[in-house]
mmCIF file of all heavy atoms in Angstrom:
data_model
loop_
_atom_site.group_PDB
_atom_site.id
_atom_site.type_symbol
_atom_site.label_atom_id
_atom_site.label_comp_id
_atom_site.label_asym_id
_atom_site.label_seq_id
_atom_site.Cartn_x
_atom_site.Cartn_y
_atom_site.Cartn_z
ATOM 1 N N VAL A 174 -8.582 3.867 7.095
ATOM 2 C CA VAL A 174 -7.588 4.942 7.108
ATOM 3 C C VAL A 174 -7.169 5.149 5.657
ATOM 4 O O VAL A 174 -6.715 4.207 4.998
ATOM 5 C CB VAL A 174 -6.356 4.571 7.962
ATOM 6 C CG1 VAL A 174 -5.316 5.678 7.898
ATOM 7 C CG2 VAL A 174 -6.748 4.275 9.388
ATOM 8 N N SER A 175 -7.316 6.367 5.149
ATOM 9 C CA SER A 175 -6.997 6.668 3.756
ATOM 10 C C SER A 175 -5.854 7.665 3.680
ATOM 11 O O SER A 175 -5.844 8.651 4.416
ATOM 12 C CB SER A 175 -8.222 7.253 3.048
ATOM 13 O OG SER A 175 -9.281 6.314 3.064
ATOM 14 N N VAL A 176 -4.892 7.379 2.786
ATOM 15 C CA VAL A 176 -3.739 8.260 2.597
ATOM 16 C C VAL A 176 -3.427 8.373 1.104
ATOM 17 O O VAL A 176 -3.612 7.415 0.353
ATOM 18 C CB VAL A 176 -2.488 7.746 3.353
ATOM 19 C CG1 VAL A 176 -2.703 7.773 4.851
ATOM 20 C CG2 VAL A 176 -2.090 6.355 2.900
ATOM 21 N N PRO A 177 -2.958 9.556 0.668
ATOM 22 C CA PRO A 177 -2.556 9.707 -0.730
ATOM 23 C C PRO A 177 -1.214 9.012 -0.971
ATOM 24 O O PRO A 177 -0.342 9.035 -0.104
ATOM 25 C CB PRO A 177 -2.440 11.224 -0.910
ATOM 26 C CG PRO A 177 -2.183 11.754 0.456
ATOM 27 C CD PRO A 177 -2.831 10.809 1.421
ATOM 28 N N VAL A 178 -1.075 8.390 -2.141
ATOM 29 C CA VAL A 178 0.156 7.677 -2.483
ATOM 30 C C VAL A 178 0.476 7.848 -3.962
ATOM 31 O O VAL A 178 -0.401 8.080 -4.789
ATOM 32 C CB VAL A 178 0.055 6.165 -2.168
ATOM 33 C CG1 VAL A 178 -0.077 5.907 -0.672
ATOM 34 C CG2 VAL A 178 -1.089 5.501 -2.931
ATOM 35 N N TRP A 179 1.764 7.704 -4.260
ATOM 36 C CA TRP A 179 2.204 7.513 -5.635
ATOM 37 C C TRP A 179 1.987 6.041 -5.951
ATOM 38 O O TRP A 179 2.150 5.176 -5.084
ATOM 39 C CB TRP A 179 3.678 7.803 -5.779
ATOM 40 C CG TRP A 179 4.130 9.203 -5.522
ATOM 41 C CD1 TRP A 179 3.377 10.327 -5.354
ATOM 42 C CD2 TRP A 179 5.491 9.621 -5.415
ATOM 43 N NE1 TRP A 179 4.175 11.406 -5.153
ATOM 44 C CE2 TRP A 179 5.491 11.004 -5.186
ATOM 45 C CE3 TRP A 179 6.714 8.961 -5.490
ATOM 46 C CZ2 TRP A 179 6.662 11.734 -5.037
ATOM 47 C CZ3 TRP A 179 7.878 9.688 -5.346
ATOM 48 C CH2 TRP A 179 7.846 11.065 -5.127
ATOM 49 N N PHE A 180 1.659 5.724 -7.204
ATOM 50 C CA PHE A 180 1.422 4.331 -7.551
ATOM 51 C C PHE A 180 1.807 4.061 -8.997
ATOM 52 O O PHE A 180 1.911 4.972 -9.813
ATOM 53 C CB PHE A 180 -0.060 3.964 -7.328
ATOM 54 C CG PHE A 180 -0.978 4.600 -8.338
ATOM 55 C CD1 PHE A 180 -1.359 3.913 -9.483
ATOM 56 C CD2 PHE A 180 -1.445 5.890 -8.146
ATOM 57 C CE1 PHE A 180 -2.188 4.506 -10.417
ATOM 58 C CE2 PHE A 180 -2.277 6.492 -9.068
ATOM 59 C CZ PHE A 180 -2.653 5.800 -10.213
ATOM 60 N N ASN A 181 2.003 2.791 -9.282
ATOM 61 C CA ASN A 181 2.233 2.322 -10.641
ATOM 62 C C ASN A 181 1.203 1.231 -10.934
ATOM 63 O O ASN A 181 1.007 0.327 -10.114
ATOM 64 C CB ASN A 181 3.649 1.739 -10.768
ATOM 65 C CG ASN A 181 3.921 1.252 -12.174
ATOM 66 O OD1 ASN A 181 4.033 2.047 -13.089
ATOM 67 N ND2 ASN A 181 4.001 -0.056 -12.350
ATOM 68 N N TRP A 182 0.545 1.346 -12.071
ATOM 69 C CA TRP A 182 -0.394 0.335 -12.539
ATOM 70 C C TRP A 182 0.148 -0.205 -13.853
ATOM 71 O O TRP A 182 0.363 0.563 -14.796
ATOM 72 C CB TRP A 182 -1.785 0.936 -12.730
ATOM 73 C CG TRP A 182 -2.766 0.109 -13.499
ATOM 74 C CD1 TRP A 182 -3.300 0.395 -14.717
ATOM 75 C CD2 TRP A 182 -3.368 -1.130 -13.099
ATOM 76 N NE1 TRP A 182 -4.189 -0.579 -15.095
ATOM 77 C CE2 TRP A 182 -4.246 -1.540 -14.116
ATOM 78 C CE3 TRP A 182 -3.236 -1.945 -11.975
ATOM 79 C CZ2 TRP A 182 -4.995 -2.712 -14.050
ATOM 80 C CZ3 TRP A 182 -3.982 -3.113 -11.905
ATOM 81 C CH2 TRP A 182 -4.853 -3.481 -12.925
ATOM 82 N N ASP A 183 0.367 -1.504 -13.948
ATOM 83 C CA ASP A 183 0.922 -2.098 -15.164
ATOM 84 C C ASP A 183 -0.119 -2.895 -15.948
ATOM 85 O O ASP A 183 0.225 -3.635 -16.863
ATOM 86 C CB ASP A 183 2.133 -2.964 -14.836
ATOM 87 C CG ASP A 183 1.794 -4.190 -13.999
ATOM 88 O OD1 ASP A 183 0.596 -4.463 -13.765
ATOM 89 O OD2 ASP A 183 2.744 -4.882 -13.578
ATOM 90 N N GLY A 184 -1.373 -2.738 -15.600
ATOM 91 C CA GLY A 184 -2.435 -3.483 -16.260
ATOM 92 C C GLY A 184 -2.813 -4.753 -15.517
ATOM 93 O O GLY A 184 -3.843 -5.358 -15.791
ATOM 94 N N THR A 185 -1.980 -5.150 -14.558
ATOM 95 C CA THR A 185 -2.226 -6.346 -13.760
ATOM 96 C C THR A 185 -2.196 -6.058 -12.271
ATOM 97 O O THR A 185 -3.018 -6.561 -11.525
ATOM 98 C CB THR A 185 -1.164 -7.423 -14.070
ATOM 99 O OG1 THR A 185 -1.211 -7.716 -15.469
ATOM 100 C CG2 THR A 185 -1.416 -8.694 -13.286
ATOM 101 N N ALA A 186 -1.229 -5.239 -11.854
ATOM 102 C CA ALA A 186 -1.029 -4.984 -10.416
ATOM 103 C C ALA A 186 -0.744 -3.508 -10.166
ATOM 104 O O ALA A 186 -0.163 -2.820 -11.000
ATOM 105 C CB ALA A 186 0.130 -5.820 -9.878
ATOM 106 N N ILE A 187 -1.168 -3.077 -8.991
ATOM 107 C CA ILE A 187 -0.810 -1.762 -8.456
ATOM 108 C C ILE A 187 0.412 -1.979 -7.588
ATOM 109 O O ILE A 187 0.454 -2.926 -6.794
ATOM 110 C CB ILE A 187 -1.952 -1.199 -7.569
ATOM 111 C CG1 ILE A 187 -3.176 -0.862 -8.411
ATOM 112 C CG2 ILE A 187 -1.482 -0.013 -6.741
ATOM 113 C CD1 ILE A 187 -3.079 0.408 -9.201
ATOM 114 N N ARG A 188 1.390 -1.082 -7.700
ATOM 115 C CA ARG A 188 2.567 -1.145 -6.824
ATOM 116 C C ARG A 188 2.831 0.244 -6.252
ATOM 117 O O ARG A 188 2.773 1.238 -6.972
ATOM 118 C CB ARG A 188 3.770 -1.677 -7.576
ATOM 119 C CG ARG A 188 3.617 -3.147 -7.904
ATOM 120 C CD ARG A 188 4.823 -3.758 -8.591
ATOM 121 N NE ARG A 188 4.527 -5.145 -8.936
ATOM 122 C CZ ARG A 188 3.862 -5.521 -10.045
ATOM 123 N NH1 ARG A 188 3.458 -4.623 -10.907
ATOM 124 N NH2 ARG A 188 3.635 -6.800 -10.267
ATOM 125 N N ILE A 189 3.130 0.257 -4.947
ATOM 126 C CA ILE A 189 3.386 1.475 -4.183
ATOM 127 C C ILE A 189 4.644 1.214 -3.370
ATOM 128 O O ILE A 189 4.749 0.171 -2.733
ATOM 129 C CB ILE A 189 2.201 1.754 -3.221
ATOM 130 C CG1 ILE A 189 0.897 1.901 -4.000
ATOM 131 C CG2 ILE A 189 2.481 2.938 -2.316
ATOM 132 C CD1 ILE A 189 -0.354 1.685 -3.159
ATOM 133 N N PHE A 190 5.596 2.147 -3.374
ATOM 134 C CA PHE A 190 6.748 1.956 -2.483
ATOM 135 C C PHE A 190 6.483 2.738 -1.200
ATOM 136 O O PHE A 190 5.794 3.751 -1.193
ATOM 137 C CB PHE A 190 8.073 2.395 -3.137
ATOM 138 C CG PHE A 190 8.327 3.874 -3.051
ATOM 139 C CD1 PHE A 190 9.033 4.407 -1.985
ATOM 140 C CD2 PHE A 190 7.853 4.721 -4.022
ATOM 141 C CE1 PHE A 190 9.247 5.775 -1.891
ATOM 142 C CE2 PHE A 190 8.059 6.088 -3.940
ATOM 143 C CZ PHE A 190 8.764 6.606 -2.874
ATOM 144 N N THR A 191 7.042 2.243 -0.116
ATOM 145 C CA THR A 191 6.879 2.898 1.177
ATOM 146 C C THR A 191 7.952 2.385 2.128
ATOM 147 O O THR A 191 8.711 1.489 1.789
ATOM 148 C CB THR A 191 5.462 2.655 1.750
ATOM 149 O OG1 THR A 191 5.253 3.507 2.868
ATOM 150 C CG2 THR A 191 5.260 1.205 2.151
ATOM 151 N N GLY A 192 7.976 2.951 3.312
ATOM 152 C CA GLY A 192 8.896 2.484 4.338
ATOM 153 C C GLY A 192 8.369 1.219 5.002
ATOM 154 O O GLY A 192 7.156 1.090 5.224
ATOM 155 N N VAL A 193 9.268 0.307 5.329
ATOM 156 C CA VAL A 193 8.848 -0.963 5.937
ATOM 157 C C VAL A 193 8.189 -0.752 7.298
ATOM 158 O O VAL A 193 7.407 -1.589 7.740
ATOM 159 C CB VAL A 193 10.018 -1.965 6.069
ATOM 160 C CG1 VAL A 193 10.531 -2.376 4.709
ATOM 161 C CG2 VAL A 193 11.135 -1.423 6.923
ATOM 162 N N LYS A 194 8.489 0.366 7.949
ATOM 163 C CA LYS A 194 7.923 0.640 9.270
ATOM 164 C C LYS A 194 6.720 1.581 9.218
ATOM 165 O O LYS A 194 6.242 2.034 10.255
ATOM 166 C CB LYS A 194 8.997 1.232 10.179
ATOM 167 C CG LYS A 194 10.149 0.269 10.437
ATOM 168 C CD LYS A 194 11.220 0.902 11.275
ATOM 169 C CE LYS A 194 12.404 -0.044 11.424
ATOM 170 N NZ LYS A 194 13.535 0.592 12.097
ATOM 171 N N SER A 195 6.220 1.852 8.022
ATOM 172 C CA SER A 195 5.096 2.793 7.909
ATOM 173 C C SER A 195 3.829 2.195 8.524
ATOM 174 O O SER A 195 3.653 0.975 8.592
ATOM 175 C CB SER A 195 4.850 3.154 6.445
ATOM 176 O OG SER A 195 4.287 2.056 5.750
ATOM 177 N N ALA A 196 2.953 3.076 8.951
ATOM 178 C CA ALA A 196 1.691 2.638 9.558
ATOM 179 C C ALA A 196 0.843 1.845 8.573
ATOM 180 O O ALA A 196 0.184 0.873 8.964
ATOM 181 C CB ALA A 196 0.926 3.851 10.086
ATOM 182 N N LYS A 197 0.866 2.231 7.299
ATOM 183 C CA LYS A 197 0.041 1.499 6.327
ATOM 184 C C LYS A 197 0.525 0.059 6.169
ATOM 185 O O LYS A 197 -0.271 -0.860 6.022
ATOM 186 C CB LYS A 197 -0.061 2.235 4.995
ATOM 187 C CG LYS A 197 1.199 2.525 4.267
ATOM 188 C CD LYS A 197 0.886 3.391 3.036
ATOM 189 C CE LYS A 197 2.094 4.136 2.529
ATOM 190 N NZ LYS A 197 2.514 5.240 3.364
ATOM 191 N N VAL A 198 1.847 -0.163 6.230
ATOM 192 C CA VAL A 198 2.379 -1.527 6.155
ATOM 193 C C VAL A 198 1.937 -2.327 7.379
ATOM 194 O O VAL A 198 1.506 -3.478 7.254
ATOM 195 C CB VAL A 198 3.913 -1.512 6.009
ATOM 196 C CG1 VAL A 198 4.509 -2.896 6.232
ATOM 197 C CG2 VAL A 198 4.304 -0.975 4.635
ATOM 198 N N LYS A 199 1.998 -1.723 8.539
ATOM 199 C CA LYS A 199 1.546 -2.413 9.755
ATOM 200 C C LYS A 199 0.070 -2.796 9.657
ATOM 201 O O LYS A 199 -0.325 -3.893 10.053
ATOM 202 C CB LYS A 199 1.794 -1.538 10.980
ATOM 203 C CG LYS A 199 3.257 -1.369 11.304
ATOM 204 C CD LYS A 199 3.465 -0.410 12.446
ATOM 205 C CE LYS A 199 4.956 -0.138 12.631
ATOM 206 N NZ LYS A 199 5.205 0.903 13.619
ATOM 207 N N ARG A 200 -0.734 -1.874 9.113
ATOM 208 C CA ARG A 200 -2.158 -2.186 8.968
ATOM 209 C C ARG A 200 -2.375 -3.318 7.965
ATOM 210 O O ARG A 200 -3.221 -4.193 8.164
ATOM 211 C CB ARG A 200 -2.937 -0.928 8.564
ATOM 212 C CG ARG A 200 -3.051 0.091 9.689
ATOM 213 C CD ARG A 200 -4.005 1.226 9.342
ATOM 214 N NE ARG A 200 -3.565 2.029 8.210
ATOM 215 C CZ ARG A 200 -2.776 3.113 8.308
ATOM 216 N NH1 ARG A 200 -2.338 3.538 9.486
ATOM 217 N NH2 ARG A 200 -2.458 3.781 7.232
ATOM 218 N N ILE A 201 -1.613 -3.333 6.872
ATOM 219 C CA ILE A 201 -1.758 -4.391 5.858
ATOM 220 C C ILE A 201 -1.327 -5.739 6.417
ATOM 221 O O ILE A 201 -1.962 -6.760 6.134
ATOM 222 C CB ILE A 201 -0.990 -4.027 4.576
ATOM 223 C CG1 ILE A 201 -1.696 -2.857 3.861
ATOM 224 C CG2 ILE A 201 -0.866 -5.236 3.638
ATOM 225 C CD1 ILE A 201 -0.896 -2.223 2.748
ATOM 226 N N TRP A 202 -0.266 -5.770 7.225
ATOM 227 C CA TRP A 202 0.125 -7.035 7.849
ATOM 228 C C TRP A 202 -1.016 -7.578 8.709
ATOM 229 O O TRP A 202 -1.247 -8.782 8.772
ATOM 230 C CB TRP A 202 1.380 -6.873 8.703
ATOM 231 C CG TRP A 202 2.662 -6.856 7.928
ATOM 232 C CD1 TRP A 202 3.592 -5.860 7.907
ATOM 233 C CD2 TRP A 202 3.193 -7.875 7.060
ATOM 234 N NE1 TRP A 202 4.647 -6.184 7.086
ATOM 235 C CE2 TRP A 202 4.427 -7.427 6.555
ATOM 236 C CE3 TRP A 202 2.736 -9.126 6.664
ATOM 237 C CZ2 TRP A 202 5.209 -8.178 5.682
ATOM 238 C CZ3 TRP A 202 3.517 -9.874 5.782
ATOM 239 C CH2 TRP A 202 4.729 -9.399 5.315
ATOM 240 N N ARG A 203 -1.750 -6.689 9.358
ATOM 241 C CA ARG A 203 -2.840 -7.100 10.244
ATOM 242 C C ARG A 203 -4.081 -7.507 9.445
ATOM 243 O O ARG A 203 -4.780 -8.445 9.795
ATOM 244 C CB ARG A 203 -3.168 -5.960 11.206
ATOM 245 C CG ARG A 203 -4.131 -6.319 12.300
ATOM 246 C CD ARG A 203 -4.322 -5.235 13.349
ATOM 247 N NE ARG A 203 -4.437 -3.903 12.815
ATOM 248 C CZ ARG A 203 -3.541 -2.916 12.996
ATOM 249 N NH1 ARG A 203 -2.465 -3.108 13.715
ATOM 250 N NH2 ARG A 203 -3.728 -1.721 12.470
ATOM 251 N N ASP A 204 -4.375 -6.754 8.378
ATOM 252 C CA ASP A 204 -5.560 -7.017 7.557
ATOM 253 C C ASP A 204 -5.219 -6.570 6.144
ATOM 254 O O ASP A 204 -5.074 -5.364 5.891
ATOM 255 C CB ASP A 204 -6.764 -6.244 8.101
ATOM 256 C CG ASP A 204 -8.070 -6.608 7.413
ATOM 257 O OD1 ASP A 204 -8.044 -7.046 6.235
ATOM 258 O OD2 ASP A 204 -9.132 -6.441 8.041
ATOM 259 N N ALA A 205 -5.082 -7.499 5.235
ATOM 260 C CA ALA A 205 -4.581 -7.217 3.883
ATOM 261 C C ALA A 205 -5.610 -6.579 2.957
ATOM 262 O O ALA A 205 -5.264 -6.170 1.843
ATOM 263 C CB ALA A 205 -4.060 -8.507 3.255
ATOM 264 N N ARG A 206 -6.857 -6.446 3.394
ATOM 265 C CA ARG A 206 -7.879 -5.857 2.518
ATOM 266 C C ARG A 206 -7.621 -4.365 2.332
ATOM 267 O O ARG A 206 -7.485 -3.626 3.307
ATOM 268 C CB ARG A 206 -9.275 -6.069 3.097
ATOM 269 C CG ARG A 206 -9.689 -7.530 3.129
ATOM 270 C CD ARG A 206 -11.006 -7.726 3.814
ATOM 271 N NE ARG A 206 -10.894 -7.341 5.226
ATOM 272 C CZ ARG A 206 -11.909 -7.071 6.018
ATOM 273 N NH1 ARG A 206 -13.144 -7.131 5.557
ATOM 274 N NH2 ARG A 206 -11.712 -6.754 7.280
ATOM 275 N N VAL A 207 -7.564 -3.937 1.056
ATOM 276 C CA VAL A 207 -7.294 -2.538 0.735
ATOM 277 C C VAL A 207 -8.126 -2.114 -0.472
ATOM 278 O O VAL A 207 -8.636 -2.950 -1.215
ATOM 279 C CB VAL A 207 -5.797 -2.280 0.426
ATOM 280 C CG1 VAL A 207 -4.907 -2.690 1.591
ATOM 281 C CG2 VAL A 207 -5.363 -2.969 -0.848
ATOM 282 N N THR A 208 -8.208 -0.808 -0.638
ATOM 283 C CA THR A 208 -8.742 -0.187 -1.845
ATOM 284 C C THR A 208 -7.802 0.939 -2.236
ATOM 285 O O THR A 208 -7.314 1.679 -1.370
ATOM 286 C CB THR A 208 -10.152 0.387 -1.602
ATOM 287 O OG1 THR A 208 -11.057 -0.683 -1.367
ATOM 288 C CG2 THR A 208 -10.647 1.194 -2.787
#
């Protein structure tokens, strides 16, 4: 499942803010592999 997001890259980590109840968070809790 692919969705557009705002992101921050600091040279070490990508960070994205979202709602704790979002579908993408639920999917990450189930399987943390992402691109």
